[in-house]
Amino acid sequence: MSHKSTILPFLIKFTPKFPQSIDYDEHGLNVYAFDLDHTIIKPKSPNIKFSRSATDWQFMNFNSNKSTLDYLFNITNNDPTAIIVIFSNQGGVITVPRTSKSCTKYTNKILLFLKAIKNDERGETLSPRLWLYAAPKRPKTFATNNCKITFPGSGESYNNDPNIFEKVRKPMTGMAEFFKRDIEDSYRISESIPPIKLNWVYYCGDAAGRKNDFSDSDIKFAENLRVEFKHPEEIFKG
């Protein structure tokens, strides 16, 4: 498998096992950020919003000549310092327990998503530069009051924050903070050198508060990150 999966009560992430070595300088890395559902992929089943199974998905096609996957490959081919990251709210997924039906369906879907990329003849240019983060639903077993929450084995810093579930869900920027830490751990050679500079090129998502949009969480997420926002049609129709 190309990626390592980490499943916490409040966060699911898939990070490259072997991040691609990138020759960045003081200018840093260029970050291209995306939503997942109805931005990069959609269900195969017609007229439904959410996938019915782990296999019920396909890359979207805003342009008759190219799929969203083709555009992602173009980014990594044309920008040698590009990193692609996906941030997704998964309100129908509960990770406590990790063997829950919703968690198993989602993680299996992502494994198939990553496999499809790796098996493409261009996969080696994208897989080691692709990072995925998802914010699951707060389980009923964790109270919503301000009492301390304990996550066994998750670290004291998480246990002290009763609002961690809300902080990692868009439009809050918690997922992006975890991504920044993971990038530092993967690419920063020594603590004696300055932190890696991340140049956020844009964030692209379909929840933009338009008349037929279900939410404005994506555009608000970009605003909170102070990153330029793009609609999928702007990126994938060019």
Side-chain angles (χ1 to χ4, degrees), residues 3 16 20 69 72-73 76-77 84 117 122-131:
H3 285 62
Q20 182 165 321
L69 180 59
L72 297 183
F73 280 128
T76 53
N77 286 335
I84 292 179
I117 293 173
R122 304 162 293 178
E124 291 185 1
T125 66
L126 177 56
S127 288
R129 290 198 263 172
L130 176 62
W131 307 68

Side-chain angles (χ1 to χ4, degrees), residues 3-236:
H3 285 62
K4 173 187 176 183
S5 64
T6 302
I7 303 175
L8 301 173
F10 52 87
L11 182 70
I12 304 171
K13 62 180 181 177
F14 288 80
T15 55
K17 285 185 177 179
F18 305 102
Q20 182 165 321
S21 177
I22 297 177
D23 293 328
Y24 63 89
D25 52 22
E26 69 275 7
H27 299 294
L29 300 173
N30 293 332
V31 179
Y32 299 79
F34 296 87
D35 178 42
L36 179 62
D37 296 304
H38 298 281
T39 297
I40 294 177
I41 63 174
K42 68 177 182 179
K44 289 180 182 178
S45 302
N47 303 319
I48 65 170
K49 191 172 183 179
F50 303 108
S51 300
R52 291 174 175 169
S53 68
T55 59
D56 185 24
W57 65 273
Q58 61 186 337
F59 290 104
M60 296 186 69
N61 195 322
F62 293 90
N63 181 319
S64 59
N65 296 320
K66 292 182 180 180
S67 71
T68 50
L69 180 59
D70 292 323
Y71 281 95
L72 297 183
F73 280 128
N74 285 346
I75 291 172
T76 53
N77 286 335
N78 295 329
D79 185 348
T81 62
I83 294 290
I84 292 179
V85 58
I86 294 173
F87 299 115
S88 177
N89 283 349
Q90 294 295 325
V93 176
I94 294 176
T95 62
V96 181
R98 297 179 184 179
T99 55
S100 72
K101 184 177 179 180
S102 61
C103 184
T104 299
K105 185 182 84 170
Y106 175 75
T107 53
N108 284 343
K109 181 171 81 168
I110 297 303
L111 290 174
L112 291 173
F113 173 82
L114 293 169
K115 183 178 179 180
I117 293 173
K118 184 179 180 181
N119 288 346
D120 190 287
E121 61 182 7
R122 304 162 293 178
E124 291 185 1
T125 66
L126 177 56
S127 288
R129 290 198 263 172
L130 176 62
W131 307 68
L132 297 96
Y133 297 79
K137 181 180 180 180
R138 177 192 285 266
K140 292 181 180 179
T141 51
F142 293 105
T144 57
N145 56 30
N146 290 325
C147 296
K148 179 178 177 180
I149 299 175
T150 300
F151 303 125
S154 295
E156 186 64 24
S157 61
Y158 307 142
N159 291 337
N160 285 337
D161 191 346
N163 300 312
I164 187 66
F165 285 94
E166 290 71 32
K167 288 182 178 180
V168 298
R169 287 185 63 80
K170 295 180 295 185
M172 301 297 283
T173 60
M175 281 191 286
E177 296 305 316
F178 279 97
F179 164 66
K180 292 176 185 177
R181 295 179 203 173
D182 290 339
I183 287 290
E184 282 290 316
D185 291 342
S186 297
Y187 286 104
R188 194 175 180 188
I189 300 173
S190 169
E191 292 187 1
S192 63
I193 64 174
I196 297 172
K197 181 181 179 182
L198 297 180
N199 306 307
W200 293 80
V201 181
Y202 55 71
Y203 173 73
C204 173
D206 66 308
R210 296 168 292 185
K211 182 178 179 180
N212 295 322
D213 291 347
F214 70 95
S215 169
D216 62 356
S217 60
D218 283 327
I219 193 169
K220 293 295 185 182
F221 179 64
E223 290 175 1
N224 289 337
L225 283 176
R226 298 182 180 179
V227 173
E228 182 179 3
F229 177 76
K230 295 284 189 181
H231 300 96
E233 296 82 0
E234 294 180 79
I235 301 299
F236 299 119

